[in-house]
Amino acid sequence: QKAAQNLKPIVPIKFYISSRTDTGVHALCNSAHLDIQRAPGKPAFNEKQLIYSLNYHLRPEPIRILNAYRVANSFHARFSALSRTYVYRLLMGCTHHSEIPVFERDLCWAPAGGHLNVPAMQDAAQFLLGTHDFSTFRSLNSETPFRSPIRTILQVDIRPSSGFLSHHYEHRGLEFWELKFRSRSFLYRQVRRMVGALVAVGQGKLAPHHIKELLEIKDSRAFPPNAMAPPSGLFLKSVEY
């Protein structure tokens, strides 16, 4: 918003972002919309000018504008979204946090105990697909009384992945995995709770059918204590329109 204000609009700019995330969560890509009204006689910015100008003013910030598009007045970055895709990165094979590659610090989660039972996690993930009351899988906040706990999970995948420069330390026996979730929208901390519950299945603390039981309880207090995944491994991958 500050960067756009440097483009000298004649009306203060309001920046509308598609999704908010917890502190410590990353975004590979996010979307936002804004209206820029220029002085009379000045032509509207084209897409390339806008990208270049905004990035010039964003140089000190850990953020870059990748694309810009002209949209209809009816478009809204948050409410026009058809779905959002999140990726959670897990690191398996670490017996101690000091074994996490230094370039992966704060970019993944290495759950205690080393390896996880991935097939059990994949079985458990199937219970999350579809439309459910996700009350057990949301943290409570000021918006809780006003938001429906009903959400539809369109996709859940658990697949092997790669780490930054991981081919150089294959001998260490570390494995990266990605959990991908896609839905039109998510509840507060829903993805982190779903990941935490699936990791508990992988650790043998829960059985796959316990995920179904947690959904049926519909009570956030029933969620296993201290099981929520940390924010560091979570990435907003994309917003689809």
Side-chain angles (χ1 to χ4, degrees):
Q1 189 163 296
K2 286 179 188 172
Q5 210 58 51
N6 283 317
L7 304 181
K8 298 184 172 59
I10 58 173
V11 176
I13 284 175
K14 184 82 176 88
F15 195 81
Y16 298 90
I17 200 156
S18 73
S19 303
R20 293 178 299 165
T21 56
D22 301 339
T23 301
V25 174
H26 316 282
L28 297 169
C29 187
N30 204 342
S31 305
H33 80 263
L34 45 79
D35 296 307
I36 299 180
Q37 195 170 334
R38 302 196 75 189
K42 289 208 168 191
F45 288 108
N46 66 39
E47 283 93 336
K48 279 189 176 177
Q49 285 175 318
L50 206 52
I51 294 169
Y52 179 85
S53 301
L54 288 174
N55 281 332
Y56 176 82
H57 294 292
L58 286 168
R59 283 179 302 173
E61 303 294 335
I63 180 173
R64 292 295 175 266
I65 307 302
L66 303 176
N67 289 296
Y69 306 95
R70 193 176 303 283
V71 290
N73 283 340
S74 58
F75 177 86
H76 194 287
R78 180 179 175 188
F79 301 117
S80 299
L82 298 177
S83 64
R84 294 160 173 84
T85 302
Y86 280 89
V87 168
Y88 198 99
R89 299 181 69 237
L90 289 176
L91 174 57
M92 301 183 199
C94 289
T95 54
H96 189 266
H97 66 81
S98 63
E99 296 174 12
I100 299 172
V102 68
F103 295 113
E104 292 286 353
R105 206 178 115 198
D106 299 327
L107 296 172
C108 63
W109 176 30
H115 286 280
L116 302 172
N117 182 344
V118 175
M121 293 169 65
Q122 290 168 328
D123 289 345
Q126 298 310 301
F127 291 115
L128 298 169
L129 274 172
T131 303
H132 306 283
D133 182 321
F134 281 95
S135 292
T136 306
F137 288 89
R138 71 169 166 188
S139 294
L140 304 181
N141 68 356
S142 57
E143 293 183 4
T144 301
F146 310 105
R147 299 194 72 185
S148 166
I150 308 296
R151 290 293 183 272
T152 301
I153 302 295
L154 302 167
Q155 179 183 9
V156 184
D157 284 332
I158 303 176
R159 294 183 180 175
S161 181
S162 59
F164 180 65
L165 295 175
S166 57
H167 56 286
H168 289 293
Y169 51 83
E170 287 170 343
H171 62 282
R172 292 177 58 188
L174 302 179
E175 290 180 20
F176 287 88
W177 289 76
E178 283 184 5
L179 285 71
K180 183 194 285 186
F181 301 89
R182 185 165 62 90
S183 174
R184 184 160 190 268
S185 64
F186 294 90
L187 298 166
Y188 181 49
R189 293 182 174 169
Q190 180 185 346
V191 176
R192 289 172 59 194
R193 282 186 164 224
M194 291 190 297
V195 170
L198 292 175
V199 165
V201 170
Q203 293 170 324
K205 296 175 181 175
L206 297 177
H209 69 84
H210 286 135
I211 300 299
K212 183 171 183 284
E213 292 173 12
L214 286 171
L215 281 169
E216 291 168 348
I217 292 170
K218 302 175 187 175
D219 185 346
S220 64
R221 293 168 297 183
F223 189 77
N226 305 315
M228 184 167 64
S232 54
L234 184 56
F235 295 75
L236 174 61
K237 183 189 176 188
S238 57
V239 184
E240 294 82 33
Y241 294 94

